Amino acid sequence: MNPNNTSFLKYKNNPIVKGTFILTFAGILTRIIGFFFRIFLSRCIGAEGIGIYQLIFPIQAICYSLCTSGYELSISKLVASAHAKNQKSSMQILKTGLMMSLSVSVIIAMFVYFNNEFISTRILAEERCKNLIRWMSITIPLASIHSCICGYYLGIKKASVPAWSQLIEQCTRVLSIWIIIQICYEKGIAITAETAVIGSFIGEIFSVLYTVYCISNADKQMKQTVIPLPKTNYFNKIFKLSLPLTLNRLMLSIIQSIQSILIPFCLISYGLTSSEALSLYGICLGLVLPLIMFPGALVNSISLMLLPTIAEAEYSKDSSHISNTSDHTLKFCCLFGIYCAGIFVIFGNPIGVLLFNNATSGTYICILGFLCPFLYITATLASILNGLGYTHITFIHSVVTTLIQLFCTIILIPGIGIVGYLMGLLVSSIISSVSHYISAKKYVKFHIDAWNTFLIPTLTFVIFHLGINFINQFINCHSPIQEFMKMGLESCIITVIYLLVCHRCNYSKSSAKLHHIISEP
């Protein structure tokens, strides 16, 4: 057989590569649909409507952190460990985690539903959020079921089910919102932010139906083919593992929620009216920030597949596989993050005008673009630390960096406006990535060549930036289509040159190690 074909098959069949590809494809497609639909939605309900819709996210994040994220990651890690030991107890782990998560989610959902008026008027200071909170509360148990089942499939490295559930949720959400909007247009009913929350509820229902169908079939097949093992109580294991993860997300969500609620008030203190503050809040957090997070679909997929892989290798005491996998994953995320940052900084202003018809949003895109390398590095290192069981470290780092964001919001926004919030995000992201790196370096032996991984790629984009600015002095575009075509051509040229530079700097030294990683089962 041709050696090149053998190498290709090893790449194709490697669970990290295969799972990352599937999750990335689903994530990018989902974000494309969601991003452009969000633009359509903003034109239907306005920037202020997007701001109102954005206000309920902090409450949703707190609820979800209590009953979804910690259990999902715990199930994923325990199932991966069971898989490494060649045990067939993964379904028992899922059922125990699902029971724990669902019990908590039902209690939280009932509390939020019956206290929606207090939350909307006293906490969010926006009475129009009342109905939105009602609909959101109903999605909490559904999200709990969905996340636990996805955690199971990520643990066994079968990424197709989480990927399809993600696509189904987004497609049904968008389709249902579009249908509701058309009905409202025909009947002359005002379109509000409540439409978006109803669509999210419908999307969650279809996603849960799909995941439950998949796990039911898997459970039936397992009962028919597998010899039953003695029942083990996984309650304590899941509780001990999920507690720091849940506290991490909970503390993070609470602080971020306080910050999100304070932002409109701080903008009013800066001198904006209530309507202007909500509009700016909606543009920045509802439109610009999702755009910046858009390329993160690839890194999120890597992180989701990395955690069970590290957990499995850690149980098998395969330190070389942990080191090699961490080394190359981190290097890729650095290079990809610098690329995304460069693209956003260079093309931020025309992107803001073309997509949002707002020159100010272009400035925000340029500033937030610098977040990409640090966000991606942090996500990768957090998965490595969590996979090794050091969840308390990521918890401490997350709390500290989020407190820094909160401090910047309270101190800087009243003085310099929304730019203070953006500066807080950037500073806290840098501190988070550095602290994660220092901690991970204590437990994992990996080496990152700062010259080839950071300096040369960054200098390459500085040259790109200067060159594009010089060329644009002699080129005038008279229509959005011309501007889009010019930007597309420039970005393609930049991408090709950047790939050649990265290949020249990194591939020759690491190809042997990378081949070794892919060759491992």
Side-chain angles (χ1 to χ4, degrees), residues 154-207:
L154 290 172
I156 62 174
K157 299 187 182 69
K158 188 176 181 180
S160 58
V161 172
W164 274 110
S165 69
Q166 189 178 7
L167 278 173
I168 290 171
E169 179 184 356
Q170 182 73 308
C171 291
T172 52
R173 184 177 73 90
V174 169
L175 181 61
S176 60
I177 293 174
W178 183 82
I179 292 173
I180 294 171
I181 288 175
Q182 299 307 311
I183 294 173
C184 290
Y185 275 140
E186 290 180 3
K187 297 187 176 181
I189 302 172
I191 302 171
T192 64
E194 186 177 353
T195 302
V197 188
I198 296 173
S200 298
F201 167 68
I202 295 173
E204 198 68 60
I205 288 177
F206 278 89
S207 177

Side-chain angles (χ1 to χ4, degrees), residues 4 17 100 182 283 392 414 434 475:
N4 292 330
V17 176
M100 295 168 64
Q182 299 307 311
I283 290 172
H392 61 285
V434 172
I475 300 176

Side-chain angles (χ1 to χ4, degrees), residues 390-441:
Y390 299 110
T391 53
H392 61 285
I393 294 176
T394 57
F395 167 65
I396 294 171
H397 293 170
S398 298
V399 171
V400 171
T401 53
T402 311
L403 285 173
I404 294 172
Q405 291 182 27
L406 182 61
F407 175 79
C408 292
T409 298
I410 297 172
I411 301 300
L412 297 181
I413 292 181
I416 60 177
I418 196 67
V419 177
Y421 167 73
L422 305 183
M423 290 175 60
L425 276 179
L426 184 58
V427 171
S428 63
S429 298
I430 294 172
I431 294 174
S432 179
S433 60
V434 172
S435 58
H436 274 59
Y437 179 82
I438 293 173
S439 298
K441 191 73 174 174

Side-chain angles (χ1 to χ4, degrees), residues 343-394:
I343 292 295
F344 284 130
V345 171
I346 293 173
F347 301 110
N349 288 315
I351 288 174
V353 174
L354 286 173
L355 292 181
F356 308 128
N357 196 26
N358 188 311
T360 306
S361 63
T363 304
Y364 303 152
I365 293 172
C366 292
I367 297 174
L368 289 176
F370 288 103
L371 287 172
C372 293
F374 307 107
L375 290 176
Y376 300 166
I377 291 170
T378 301
T380 304
L381 292 172
S383 288
I384 294 170
L385 289 170
N386 289 334
L388 293 172
Y390 299 110
T391 53
H392 61 285
I393 294 176
T394 57

Side-chain angles (χ1 to χ4, degrees), residues 339 343 346-347 350 461 464 467-473 475 477 483-497:
Y339 169 78
I343 292 295
I346 293 173
F347 301 110
F461 264 104
F464 286 153
I468 293 295
N469 287 340
F470 177 77
I471 293 172
N472 287 343
Q473 293 178 358
I475 300 176
C477 296
E483 180 67 36
F484 179 78
M485 292 177 64
K486 179 178 76 69
M487 188 169 61
L489 178 61
E490 291 171 344
S491 62
C492 288
I493 295 172
I494 288 173
T495 302
V496 172
I497 297 175

